[in-house]
Amino acid sequence: MGYTLCVLGCGTMGIAVLSGVIDSLGAKQQIRSSLEKWESHTSGTVTPVGTPDASTPTRFIACVSREESAKKLRTVFGNLGELGESVEVVASQNVRAVRDADVVLLCCKPQLAHAILGEQGMKEALADKLLISILAGVTISQIQGWVFPSTKVIRAMPNTPCKIREGMTVVSTLPSSESSDTDRAIILKIFSSIGRCRFLEEKHFDACTALSGSGPAFACIFLEAMADGGVMMGLPRAEALELAAQTLQGAARMVLGGGIHPAQLKDAVTTPGGCTIAGLLALEDGRVRSTIARGIQIATERASELGQPAKK
C-alpha cells in the first residue's frame, strides 16, 4: 500500500520536510524503553515505522522550476541513502507530478502560489486529493478559490528547526469527512517525522507564524546576547556560545518534558540576594519581557499581510 507524496516548490522548507520524512522512514525500529522520550507528550511525535499502510508515503516526487535546482536536489536526496535516491526530482513538470501524486505539499513562495495553482491542468490534477500548504499568510479560503471543491485543502506551519527534526508544526483542524482519519494520520506521519505537531484552528496561524516560525530568529538574538555577556566577562567566544546554547536547550527541555512552567524554573534558581535576581532585575530594567512580547505582536501583524494582494 502507501501513497505518493509530491512536494510542489521544493525549496528550503520542502527539502527539510521531505528529508525528515525519508530519514524517519529509513530509520530502523528501535526498542522503546519504559521511560518515554521527553518529546513523547504528544502522539504526533512518534516516528512512523513498520509495514507501509494508506497513511505512509512510499513514493516521492520533488518539483522545482529549473533543471539546475533539480541537479542539486538529486545530490541532496542521494545522500540520504537508498530511499533518498528513489526521490523523483523533476523540473517544470508540476502538473504531471501532481497528477501522479495522492498527497501534495505546497512549499513555494506565497506570492507564487496563485500562478502555480493556476497553471493549465492543475485544477484537474488536484481534484479529490489532499493539498497541504505551508505558505505563510495564504489562507485556506484563498487556495480553495484556486482549486476544485473536491480538493481537500489543509494549512501547516513548520519552522526551520525541522531541518534537524526538532521542528514545531501547527496544522489547521481537519473538516469532518469519510477520509478525515486517514488524512489526520498522513499529516501526523509527515510532520511528526520532523518534530512536534499540533492541530489548531486557522485563525491562530498568524500568531503561530510569529511565535514558532519567526521564533528561532528571536531566540538566536537572546542566545547571542547571552554569549556576548559571557565574552564581556572574560569567557572565550566558542565556550560562551556553547554554554548559552546548551543552557537554553536544557531549559526548554525541562519545560517540555517535565511540564514545568518557566516561572517555576526561574524561581528555583533565584535565591535571595543572589546573582540570578540581580541579573533578572537588570533584564526587567531593559523591559525584556514587553519587548519580546511586542516583537511577537508585530510579527503576527506582518504575517497577516503575507500572501495578500498588495494595497494600491
Side-chain angles (χ1 to χ4, degrees), residues 94-293:
N94 292 342
V95 174
R96 183 189 68 79
V98 170
R99 191 180 295 122
D100 290 345
D102 301 297
V103 178
V104 178
L105 189 63
L106 183 62
C107 301
C108 65
K109 294 179 180 179
Q111 59 269 30
L112 298 178
H114 189 196
I116 290 177
L117 295 181
E119 189 175 346
Q120 186 175 3
M122 184 61 76
K123 276 190 176 183
E124 292 76 10
L126 283 168
D128 301 314
K129 295 179 180 178
L130 176 62
L131 175 62
I132 307 170
S133 166
I134 69 167
L135 310 187
V138 182
T139 66
I140 290 176
S141 62
Q142 280 180 283
I143 297 175
Q144 288 175 332
W146 302 331
V147 298
F148 286 140
S150 63
T151 302
K152 295 171 287 185
V153 181
I154 296 297
R155 282 186 69 186
M157 186 56 58
N159 61 3
T160 51
C162 70
K163 295 179 182 178
I164 58 169
R165 297 182 67 187
E166 289 287 357
M168 181 69 238
T169 302
V170 177
V171 182
S172 61
T173 50
L174 299 171
S176 179
S177 69
E178 293 181 358
S179 63
S180 57
D181 289 342
T182 300
D183 292 341
R184 182 182 177 88
I186 287 173
I187 291 167
L188 284 176
K189 283 190 176 182
I190 290 174
F191 294 109
S192 68
S193 68
I194 55 173
R196 290 171 174 257
C197 183
R198 288 291 188 204
F199 287 87
L200 281 175
E201 293 181 34
E202 189 189 14
K203 66 181 181 181
H204 298 300
F205 264 55
D206 292 333
C208 292
T209 299
L211 187 54
S212 64
S214 301
F218 304 152
C220 283
I221 288 290
F222 193 79
L223 192 159
E224 187 179 25
M226 288 180 63
D228 285 345
V231 172
M232 183 176 69
M233 300 313 297
L235 289 176
R237 169 64 65 178
E239 283 74 10
L241 186 58
E242 180 183 14
L243 265 64
Q246 181 59 37
T247 298
L248 288 181
Q249 178 178 243
R253 290 197 171 195
M254 289 181 73
V255 171
L256 291 173
I260 304 174
H261 193 279
Q264 291 178 280
L265 288 177
K266 171 181 67 67
D267 291 347
V269 296
T270 307
T271 55
C275 61
T276 304
I277 189 61
L280 287 172
L281 289 177
L283 293 176
E284 295 292 358
D285 289 341
R287 301 176 62 183
V288 168
R289 289 172 183 260
S290 61
T291 299
I292 293 173

